[in-house]
Amino acid sequence: MLTRAQLHTQLERMEAGLAEIRRTLAAVERKLENRAEAETIRRRPKARYYHRRMSR
C-alpha cells in the first residue's frame, strides 16, 4: 500500500501530465482550425471569371 505522500506525488504527476496533454490538444486544434479555414478560402470558387478581353 502506498503512503499518503506517495499518492499525493502520483496525483500531482498525473495532473501535470493531463495539463500538458490539454495544452497539446489545444495547440493541435488551433492548427487544424487555421488549416481548415485556409483551405476553405483557397477552394472557394471565384465570383467571376475574366477573359483576356474583359475589363475588370
Side-chain angles (χ1 to χ4, degrees):
M1 192 78 185
L2 297 175
T3 66
R4 185 173 177 94
Q6 290 171 327
L7 289 172
H8 186 65
T9 303
Q10 281 186 349
L11 178 60
E12 284 180 345
R13 257 189 269 138
M14 290 179 359
E15 286 177 343
L18 178 61
E20 179 65 27
I21 289 170
R22 285 183 173 160
R23 281 191 296 272
T24 303
L25 286 175
V28 169
E29 191 174 61
R30 278 192 307 272
K31 276 187 176 181
L32 285 174
E33 285 175 358
N34 291 339
R35 191 178 298 170
E37 185 176 349
E39 187 69 16
T40 300
I41 291 170
R42 191 177 69 78
R43 289 185 178 223
R44 185 177 298 152
K46 292 184 178 180
R48 290 192 176 138
Y49 177 75
Y50 292 102
H51 295 285
R52 198 187 298 179
R53 294 182 189 145
M54 292 177 64
S55 65
R56 294 183 186 179

Coordinates of all heavy atoms in Angstrom, one line a residue:
M1 N 0.8 -1.2 0.0 CA 0.0 0.0 0.0 C 0.9 1.2 0.0 O 1.9 1.3 0.7 CB -0.9 0.0 1.3 CG -2.0 1.0 1.2 SD -3.3 0.3 0.2 CE -4.4 1.7 0.3
L2 N 0.5 2.2 -0.8 CA 1.3 3.5 -0.9 C 0.9 4.4 0.3 O -0.2 4.4 0.8 CB 1.0 4.2 -2.2 CG 1.4 3.4 -3.5 CD1 0.9 4.1 -4.7 CD2 2.8 3.2 -3.5
T3 N 1.9 5.2 0.7 CA 1.6 6.2 1.7 C 0.9 7.3 1.1 O 0.8 7.5 -0.1 CB 2.9 6.6 2.3 OG1 3.7 7.4 1.3 CG2 3.8 5.5 2.8
R4 N 0.4 8.2 2.0 CA -0.4 9.3 1.6 C 0.5 10.3 0.8 O 0.1 10.8 -0.2 CB -0.9 10.0 2.8 CG -1.8 11.2 2.5 CD -2.4 11.7 3.8 NE -3.2 12.9 3.6 CZ -4.5 12.9 3.4 NH1 -5.2 11.7 3.4 NH2 -5.2 14.0 3.2
A5 N 1.8 10.4 1.1 CA 2.7 11.3 0.4 C 3.0 10.8 -1.0 O 3.0 11.5 -2.0 CB 4.0 11.4 1.2
Q6 N 3.1 9.4 -1.1 CA 3.3 8.8 -2.4 C 2.1 9.0 -3.3 O 2.2 9.3 -4.5 CB 3.7 7.4 -2.3 CG 5.0 7.1 -1.7 CD 5.2 5.6 -1.3 OE1 4.3 4.9 -1.0 NE2 6.5 5.1 -1.4
L7 N 0.9 8.8 -2.7 CA -0.3 9.0 -3.5 C -0.4 10.5 -4.0 O -0.8 10.7 -5.1 CB -1.5 8.6 -2.7 CG -1.7 7.1 -2.4 CD1 -2.8 6.9 -1.5 CD2 -2.0 6.4 -3.7
H8 N -0.1 11.4 -3.1 CA -0.1 12.8 -3.4 C 0.8 13.1 -4.6 O 0.5 13.9 -5.5 CB 0.2 13.6 -2.2 CG 0.0 15.1 -2.4 ND1 -1.2 15.7 -2.7 CD2 0.9 16.1 -2.4 CE1 -1.1 17.0 -2.8 NE2 0.2 17.3 -2.6
T9 N 2.0 12.6 -4.5 CA 3.0 12.8 -5.6 C 2.6 12.2 -6.9 O 2.7 12.9 -7.9 CB 4.4 12.1 -5.2 OG1 4.8 12.6 -3.9 CG2 5.4 12.4 -6.2
Q10 N 2.0 11.0 -6.9 CA 1.5 10.4 -8.1 C 0.3 11.3 -8.7 O 0.3 11.5 -9.9 CB 1.0 9.0 -7.8 CG 2.1 8.0 -7.8 CD 1.5 6.6 -7.7 OE1 0.3 6.4 -7.4 NE2 2.4 5.6 -7.8
L11 N -0.5 11.7 -7.8 CA -1.7 12.6 -8.3 C -1.1 13.9 -8.9 O -1.6 14.3 -10.0 CB -2.6 12.9 -7.1 CG -3.8 13.8 -7.4 CD1 -4.7 13.1 -8.5 CD2 -4.6 14.1 -6.2
E12 N -0.2 14.5 -8.3 CA 0.4 15.7 -8.9 C 1.0 15.4 -10.3 O 0.9 16.2 -11.2 CB 1.5 16.3 -7.9 CG 0.9 17.0 -6.7 CD 2.0 17.6 -5.8 OE1 3.2 17.2 -6.0 OE2 1.6 18.4 -5.0
R13 N 1.7 14.3 -10.4 CA 2.3 13.9 -11.7 C 1.2 13.7 -12.7 O 1.4 14.1 -13.9 CB 3.2 12.7 -11.5 CG 4.7 13.0 -11.5 CD 5.5 11.7 -11.6 NE 5.7 11.2 -10.2 CZ 5.7 10.0 -9.8 NH1 5.4 9.0 -10.7 NH2 5.9 9.7 -8.6
M14 N 0.2 13.0 -12.3 CA -0.9 12.8 -13.3 C -1.6 14.1 -13.7 O -2.0 14.2 -14.9 CB -1.9 11.8 -12.6 CG -1.4 10.4 -12.5 SD -2.4 9.1 -11.8 CE -3.9 9.8 -11.3
E15 N -1.8 15.0 -12.8 CA -2.4 16.2 -13.1 C -1.5 17.1 -14.0 O -2.0 17.7 -14.9 CB -2.8 17.0 -11.8 CG -4.0 16.4 -11.1 CD -4.2 17.2 -9.8 OE1 -3.3 17.9 -9.3 OE2 -5.4 17.0 -9.2
A16 N -0.2 17.0 -13.8 CA 0.7 17.8 -14.6 C 0.7 17.2 -16.0 O 0.7 17.9 -17.0 CB 2.1 17.7 -14.1
G17 N 0.6 15.9 -16.1 CA 0.5 15.2 -17.4 C -0.7 15.5 -18.2 O -0.7 15.8 -19.4
L18 N -1.8 15.6 -17.4 CA -3.1 15.9 -18.0 C -3.1 17.4 -18.5 O -3.6 17.6 -19.6 CB -4.2 15.7 -17.0 CG -5.7 16.1 -17.4 CD1 -6.1 15.3 -18.6 CD2 -6.6 16.0 -16.3
A19 N -2.5 18.3 -17.8 CA -2.4 19.7 -18.2 C -1.6 19.8 -19.5 O -2.0 20.5 -20.4 CB -1.8 20.5 -17.1
E20 N -0.5 19.0 -19.6 CA 0.3 19.1 -20.8 C -0.4 18.5 -22.0 O -0.4 19.1 -23.1 CB 1.6 18.2 -20.5 CG 2.5 18.2 -21.7 CD 3.1 19.5 -22.1 OE1 3.2 20.4 -21.2 OE2 3.4 19.7 -23.3
I21 N -1.2 17.4 -21.8 CA -2.0 16.9 -22.9 C -3.0 17.9 -23.3 O -3.3 18.0 -24.5 CB -2.6 15.5 -22.4 CG1 -1.6 14.5 -22.3 CG2 -3.7 15.1 -23.4 CD1 -2.0 13.2 -21.6
R22 N -3.7 18.5 -22.4 CA -4.7 19.5 -22.8 C -4.1 20.7 -23.6 O -4.7 21.2 -24.5 CB -5.4 20.0 -21.5 CG -6.4 19.0 -21.0 CD -7.1 19.6 -19.8 NE -8.2 18.6 -19.4 CZ -8.7 18.6 -18.2 NH1 -8.4 19.5 -17.3 NH2 -9.7 17.7 -18.0
R23 N -2.9 21.1 -23.1 CA -2.2 22.2 -23.9 C -1.9 21.7 -25.3 O -2.1 22.5 -26.3 CB -1.0 22.7 -23.2 CG -1.2 23.6 -22.0 CD 0.1 24.2 -21.5 NE 1.0 23.2 -21.0 CZ 1.0 22.8 -19.7 NH1 0.2 23.3 -18.8 NH2 1.9 21.9 -19.3
T24 N -1.4 20.5 -25.4 CA -1.0 20.0 -26.7 C -2.2 19.8 -27.6 O -2.2 20.2 -28.8 CB -0.3 18.6 -26.6 OG1 0.8 18.7 -25.7 CG2 0.1 18.0 -27.9
L25 N -3.3 19.3 -27.1 CA -4.6 19.2 -27.8 C -5.1 20.5 -28.3 O -5.6 20.7 -29.4 CB -5.6 18.4 -27.0 CG -5.4 16.9 -26.9 CD1 -6.4 16.3 -26.0 CD2 -5.4 16.2 -28.3
A26 N -5.0 21.5 -27.4 CA -5.5 22.9 -27.8 C -4.7 23.4 -29.0 O -5.2 24.0 -29.9 CB -5.4 23.8 -26.6
A27 N -3.3 23.2 -28.9 CA -2.5 23.7 -30.0 C -2.8 23.0 -31.3 O -2.9 23.6 -32.4 CB -1.0 23.5 -29.6
V28 N -3.0 21.7 -31.2 CA -3.3 20.9 -32.4 C -4.7 21.4 -33.0 O -4.8 21.5 -34.2 CB -3.3 19.4 -32.1 CG1 -3.9 18.6 -33.3 CG2 -1.9 18.9 -31.8
E29 N -5.6 21.6 -32.1 CA -6.9 22.0 -32.5 C -6.9 23.4 -33.2 O -7.5 23.6 -34.3 CB -7.9 22.1 -31.3 CG -9.3 22.3 -31.7 CD -10.2 22.3 -30.5 OE1 -10.0 23.1 -29.6 OE2 -11.0 21.4 -30.4
R30 N -6.1 24.3 -32.7 CA -5.9 25.6 -33.3 C -5.3 25.5 -34.7 O -5.7 26.1 -35.7 CB -5.0 26.5 -32.5 CG -5.7 27.2 -31.3 CD -4.9 28.3 -30.7 NE -3.6 27.9 -30.3 CZ -3.3 27.3 -29.1 NH1 -4.3 27.2 -28.2 NH2 -2.1 27.0 -28.8
K31 N -4.2 24.6 -34.8 CA -3.6 24.4 -36.1 C -4.6 23.8 -37.1 O -4.6 24.3 -38.3 CB -2.4 23.4 -36.0 CG -1.1 24.0 -35.6 CD 0.0 23.0 -35.6 CE 1.3 23.6 -35.3 NZ 2.4 22.6 -35.4
L32 N -5.4 22.9 -36.7 CA -6.4 22.3 -37.6 C -7.4 23.3 -38.1 O -7.8 23.4 -39.2 CB -7.1 21.1 -37.0 CG -6.2 19.8 -36.9 CD1 -7.0 18.8 -36.1 CD2 -5.9 19.3 -38.3
E33 N -7.9 24.2 -37.1 CA -8.9 25.2 -37.5 C -8.3 26.2 -38.5 O -8.9 26.5 -39.4 CB -9.3 26.0 -36.2 CG -10.2 25.2 -35.3 CD -10.5 25.9 -34.0 OE1 -10.0 27.0 -33.8 OE2 -11.3 25.4 -33.2
N34 N -7.0 26.6 -38.2 CA -6.4 27.5 -39.2 C -6.2 26.9 -40.5 O -6.5 27.5 -41.6 CB -5.0 28.0 -38.6 CG -5.2 28.9 -37.4 OD1 -6.3 29.5 -37.2 ND2 -4.2 29.0 -36.6
R35 N -5.8 25.7 -40.6 CA -5.6 25.0 -41.8 C -6.9 24.8 -42.6 O -7.0 25.0 -43.8 CB -4.9 23.6 -41.6 CG -4.4 23.0 -42.9 CD -3.7 21.7 -42.6 NE -2.6 21.9 -41.8 CZ -1.9 20.9 -41.2 NH1 -2.2 19.6 -41.4 NH2 -0.8 21.1 -40.5
A36 N -8.0 24.4 -41.8 CA -9.3 24.2 -42.5 C -9.8 25.6 -43.0 O -10.4 25.6 -44.1 CB -10.2 23.6 -41.5
E37 N -9.6 26.6 -42.3 CA -10.1 27.9 -42.8 C -9.3 28.4 -44.0 O -9.9 28.8 -45.0 CB -9.9 29.0 -41.7 CG -10.5 30.3 -42.0 CD -10.4 31.3 -40.9 OE1 -10.1 30.9 -39.8 OE2 -10.6 32.5 -41.2
A38 N -8.0 28.2 -44.0 CA -7.2 28.5 -45.2 C -7.7 27.7 -46.4 O -7.8 28.2 -47.5 CB -5.7 28.3 -44.9
E39 N -7.9 26.4 -46.2 CA -8.3 25.5 -47.3 C -9.7 25.9 -47.8 O -9.9 25.9 -49.0 CB -8.4 24.1 -46.8 CG -8.6 23.0 -47.8 CD -7.5 22.9 -48.8 OE1 -6.4 23.4 -48.5 OE2 -7.7 22.3 -49.9
T40 N -10.6 26.3 -46.9 CA -11.9 26.7 -47.3 C -11.8 28.0 -48.2 O -12.5 28.1 -49.2 CB -12.8 27.0 -46.1 OG1 -12.9 25.8 -45.3 CG2 -14.2 27.5 -46.5
I41 N -11.0 28.9 -47.8 CA -10.8 30.2 -48.5 C -10.2 29.8 -49.9 O -10.6 30.4 -50.9 CB -10.0 31.2 -47.7 CG1 -10.8 31.7 -46.5 CG2 -9.6 32.3 -48.6 CD1 -10.0 32.5 -45.5
R42 N -9.2 29.0 -49.9 CA -8.5 28.6 -51.1 C -9.4 27.9 -52.1 O -9.3 28.1 -53.3 CB -7.3 27.7 -50.8 CG -6.4 27.5 -52.0 CD -5.2 26.7 -51.6 NE -5.5 25.3 -51.3 CZ -5.7 24.4 -52.2 NH1 -5.7 24.7 -53.5 NH2 -6.1 23.1 -51.9
R43 N -10.3 27.1 -51.6 CA -11.2 26.3 -52.5 C -12.4 27.0 -52.9 O -13.2 26.5 -53.7 CB -11.6 25.0 -51.9 CG -10.4 24.0 -51.8 CD -10.8 22.7 -51.3 NE -9.7 21.8 -51.2 CZ -9.8 20.5 -51.6 NH1 -11.0 20.1 -52.0 NH2 -8.8 19.8 -51.6
R44 N -12.7 28.2 -52.3 CA -13.9 28.9 -52.7 C -13.9 29.4 -54.1 O -12.9 29.9 -54.6 CB -14.0 30.2 -51.8 CG -15.2 31.0 -52.0 CD -15.3 32.2 -51.0 NE -15.3 31.7 -49.6 CZ -14.8 32.4 -48.6 NH1 -14.3 33.6 -48.9 NH2 -14.8 31.9 -47.4
P45 N -14.9 29.1 -54.9 CA -14.9 29.5 -56.3 C -14.9 31.0 -56.5 O -15.4 31.8 -55.6 CB -16.2 28.9 -56.8 CG -17.1 28.8 -55.6 CD -16.2 28.5 -54.5
K46 N -14.3 31.4 -57.6 CA -14.2 32.8 -57.8 C -15.6 33.3 -58.2 O -16.4 32.6 -58.8 CB -13.3 33.1 -59.0 CG -11.8 32.8 -58.7 CD -10.9 33.2 -59.8 CE -9.5 32.9 -59.5 NZ -8.6 33.3 -60.6
A47 N -15.8 34.6 -57.9 CA -17.1 35.2 -58.2 C -17.4 35.3 -59.7 O -18.5 35.1 -60.2 CB -17.3 36.5 -57.5
R48 N -16.3 35.7 -60.4 CA -16.4 35.9 -61.8 C -15.2 35.4 -62.5 O -14.1 35.4 -61.9 CB -16.6 37.3 -62.2 CG -17.9 37.9 -61.8 CD -18.1 39.3 -62.4 NE -19.4 39.7 -62.1 CZ -19.7 41.0 -61.8 NH1 -18.8 41.9 -61.7 NH2 -20.9 41.3 -61.5
Y49 N -15.3 34.9 -63.7 CA -14.2 34.5 -64.5 C -13.9 35.6 -65.5 O -14.8 35.9 -66.3 CB -14.4 33.1 -65.1 CG -13.3 32.7 -66.0 CD1 -12.1 32.2 -65.4 CD2 -13.4 32.8 -67.4 CE1 -11.1 31.8 -66.2 CE2 -12.4 32.4 -68.2 CZ -11.2 31.9 -67.6 OH -10.2 31.5 -68.4
Y50 N -12.8 36.1 -65.6 CA -12.5 37.2 -66.5 C -11.7 36.6 -67.7 O -10.7 36.0 -67.5 CB -11.6 38.3 -65.8 CG -12.4 39.0 -64.8 CD1 -12.3 38.8 -63.5 CD2 -13.4 40.0 -65.2 CE1 -13.0 39.5 -62.5 CE2 -14.1 40.7 -64.3 CZ -13.9 40.4 -62.9 OH -14.6 41.1 -62.0
H51 N -12.2 36.9 -68.9 CA -11.5 36.5 -70.1 C -10.4 37.6 -70.3 O -10.4 38.6 -69.7 CB -12.4 36.5 -71.3 CG -13.4 35.4 -71.2 ND1 -13.1 34.0 -71.3 CD2 -14.7 35.4 -70.8 CE1 -14.2 33.3 -71.1 NE2 -15.2 34.1 -70.8
R52 N -9.5 37.3 -71.3 CA -8.5 38.3 -71.6 C -9.0 39.6 -72.1 O -8.5 40.6 -71.8 CB -7.6 37.7 -72.7 CG -6.2 38.3 -72.7 CD -5.4 37.8 -73.9 NE -5.1 36.4 -73.8 CZ -4.4 35.7 -74.7 NH1 -4.0 36.3 -75.8 NH2 -4.2 34.5 -74.5
R53 N -10.1 39.6 -72.8 CA -10.6 40.8 -73.4 C -11.6 41.6 -72.4 O -12.0 42.7 -72.7 CB -11.4 40.5 -74.7 CG -10.5 40.0 -75.7 CD -11.2 39.7 -77.0 NE -10.3 39.0 -78.0 CZ -10.7 38.1 -78.8 NH1 -12.0 37.8 -78.9 NH2 -9.9 37.6 -79.6
M54 N -12.0 41.0 -71.4 CA -13.0 41.6 -70.5 C -12.2 42.5 -69.5 O -11.1 42.2 -69.0 CB -13.7 40.6 -69.6 CG -14.6 39.7 -70.5 SD -15.4 38.4 -69.5 CE -16.4 39.4 -68.4
S55 N -12.8 43.7 -69.2 CA -12.3 44.6 -68.3 C -12.6 44.1 -66.9 O -13.6 43.5 -66.6 CB -12.8 46.0 -68.5 OG -14.1 46.1 -68.2
R56 N -11.8 44.5 -65.9 CA -12.0 44.1 -64.6 C -12.6 45.2 -63.8 O -13.1 45.2 -62.8 CB -10.7 43.7 -63.9 CG -10.2 42.4 -64.5 CD -9.0 42.0 -63.8 NE -8.4 40.8 -64.5 CZ -7.3 40.2 -64.2 NH1 -6.6 40.6 -63.1 NH2 -6.8 39.2 -64.8

